[in-house]
Amino acid sequence: MEKETPHYSLPNEEAEKNRTSWDTYFVDITNLVKERSTCNRAKVGAILVKNRRIISTGYNGAAKGTKHCSEVGCNVIKAGENPENLRDHCSRTIHAEQNAIIQAALFGVGIDGATLYCTHTPCYTCAKMIANAGVKEVIYMKTYDDKDSIAAFEEAGIKLREYKD
């Protein structure tokens, strides 16, 4: 009598090597989230992950119930017009990181200890919000040159790491 072969295989090292890494998996999803952005200048996406589970997503765009930049144009404030502005930015847009935090709060999802994946390094305002929300690590794909945000992450003890493919 011939022994029947099971319909499953046991895990092996070679199969595990071929799997997408957790970082790549979450980065790919973050890049998909950014496609919902309504910003004319830069599409930005962010996801919050805890225990390898996505708990919230966000992309940059106008506040709920208001017109998007793609409909009415950007409301860019030039650096220097306001002493607090270090660079040009759109005042209509809520940043992707902010939207991810807001969505978690809206649905009562705790993000303390989470990791934030983001297409760009967060700005200084987002860095402060991320710190207060209890995020422990930020993984980004592109650098947004903001020395204040980097300093804020360092001071708050939040790990900031560039994603390397």
Side-chain angles (χ1 to χ4, degrees):
M1 185 175 217
E2 211 173 298
K3 193 173 185 182
E4 194 171 314
T5 305
H7 296 283
Y8 61 90
S9 62
L10 296 174
N12 63 54
E13 288 180 26
E14 191 61 36
E16 192 61 30
K17 283 183 206 175
N18 292 328
R19 285 182 83 186
T20 298
S21 72
W22 284 109
D23 276 351
T24 300
Y25 174 74
F26 292 127
V27 162
D28 287 350
I29 293 169
T30 303
N31 279 316
L32 182 60
V33 169
K34 81 177 182 184
E35 294 305 318
R36 291 283 306 151
S37 170
T38 58
C39 179
N40 296 324
R41 295 173 32 154
K43 289 183 176 289
V44 180
I47 66 171
L48 286 161
V49 175
K50 193 169 182 179
N51 300 320
R52 295 184 175 164
R53 299 292 178 258
I54 298 168
I55 57 176
S56 184
T57 66
Y59 52 87
N60 56 332
K64 183 178 179 179
T66 66
K67 293 187 187 299
H68 294 284
C69 295
S70 58
E71 297 173 278
V72 296
C74 294
N75 189 15
V76 176
I77 297 171
K78 296 287 185 186
E81 290 178 9
N82 180 337
E84 293 179 15
N85 294 332
L86 303 175
R87 60 197 45 81
D88 294 356
H89 71 278
C90 178
S91 64
R92 177 181 302 283
T93 300
I94 297 174
H95 292 187
E97 306 92 324
Q98 294 168 356
N99 270 325
I101 292 169
I102 291 165
Q103 288 302 310
L106 185 63
F107 292 101
V109 177
I111 61 175
D112 189 38
T115 297
L116 177 82
Y117 287 83
C118 194
T119 55
H120 298 71
T121 49
C123 71
Y124 182 54
T125 298
C126 287
K128 294 183 289 183
M129 291 178 69
I130 289 164
N132 271 9
V135 172
K136 66 176 182 176
E137 181 178 20
V138 174
I139 299 169
Y140 66 93
M141 290 151 256
K142 292 180 185 175
T143 301
Y144 174 71
D145 188 29
D146 189 334
K147 291 171 183 51
D148 292 331
S149 68
I150 293 168
F153 286 129
E154 287 176 6
E155 186 177 354
I158 298 169
K159 184 177 180 181
L160 183 63
R161 178 167 57 94
E162 183 176 10
Y163 169 74
K164 299 283 186 185
D165 206 0

